[in-house]
Amino acid sequence: MAKLVYTAITSLDGYVADEDGKFDWAAPDEEVHAFVNDKERTVGTYLYGRRMYETMVYWETASAGDDQPAVVRDYARIWLAADKVVYSSTLDAVSSARTRLEREFDPDAVRRLKKAAARDVTVGGPGLAAHALAAGLVDECHLFLNPVVVGAGTRALPAGLHLELELLDERRFGNGVIHLHYRVVN
């Protein structure tokens, strides 16, 4: 059975975007990007909410030419090779290959997907992740803490949810980012 993994790039105070919706402070440098790419190689399916999909669909048409850094070309290949499921009641259609649109999040369908999948599944976006965490579907969390405090905005983890976590790994990067890898204890 595949794992369901939630990955978030956050500020030190736990936000994925500031109160204006900006997340430019979260752009990974080459070292962090290469590390993320290695983590993403096990992914067979991405689960996205609408806003996260609208951010990530960039990779569908991103220039992967020789003028791009190797880590960018590598990630574009990883993203294009995976299936995507977008959960949205407002999106009319998806614009990327290997992508299907679901109108609502169905925990039982995600359980079946995990059971049948040969490769890991990730949940992207804090709103969708909140549903998956509340349903007890998330097996692991990867948090990339950036050395910035934004004060308010979109939380990486939902308020009011209690989870027990076991630290599996940690890594410090030259730019001050810290990666924390946790297993969700059920």
Side-chain angles (χ1 to χ4, degrees):
M1 180 163 74
K3 294 180 291 190
L4 181 62
V5 179
Y6 174 45
T7 299
I9 299 173
T10 78
S11 62
L12 187 59
D13 53 345
Y15 296 98
V16 295
D18 67 21
E19 62 188 337
D20 295 323
K22 296 183 180 174
F23 52 89
D24 52 342
W25 47 265
D29 69 5
E30 190 168 315
E31 180 188 20
V32 173
H33 208 310
F35 182 83
V36 169
N37 289 0
D38 287 342
K39 295 293 177 198
E40 298 287 301
R41 289 185 207 292
T42 66
V43 175
T45 305
Y46 293 104
L47 308 181
Y48 293 130
R50 179 188 54 83
R51 283 182 290 235
M52 181 58 79
Y53 174 70
E54 289 173 343
T55 299
M56 297 303 292
V57 76
Y58 161 83
W59 294 100
E60 184 73 13
T61 57
S63 171
D66 290 339
D67 60 326
Q68 294 292 324
V71 294
V72 170
R73 293 191 314 268
D74 187 30
Y75 186 78
R77 285 188 295 272
I78 292 166
W79 195 83
L80 290 168
D83 294 326
K84 295 98 181 157
V85 181
V86 180
Y87 297 91
S88 175
S89 61
T90 60
L91 196 62
D92 292 329
V94 293
S95 59
S96 54
R98 301 184 67 151
T99 306
R100 77 174 191 271
L101 180 61
E102 296 287 342
R103 292 297 174 199
E104 61 184 43
F105 181 76
D106 178 358
D108 290 330
V110 175
R111 280 185 192 90
R112 289 189 298 273
L113 174 64
K114 282 175 57 176
K115 189 173 184 177
R119 301 181 73 204
D120 289 340
V121 179
T122 67
V123 57
L128 188 61
H131 292 296
L133 287 161
L137 295 170
V138 176
D139 301 296
E140 294 183 2
C141 296
H142 289 271
L143 301 176
F144 290 84
L145 303 180
N146 281 258
V148 62
V149 174
V150 299
T154 305
R155 295 174 54 91
L157 296 168
L161 180 67
H162 179 83
L163 291 175
E164 297 291 329
L165 303 172
E166 175 188 357
L167 182 64
L168 299 177
D169 193 21
E170 62 184 86
R171 178 163 174 187
R172 296 177 188 186
F173 296 92
N175 65 357
V177 169
I178 297 175
H179 168 253
L180 299 171
H181 177 193
Y182 291 101
R183 181 178 67 83
V184 177
V185 179
N186 289 325

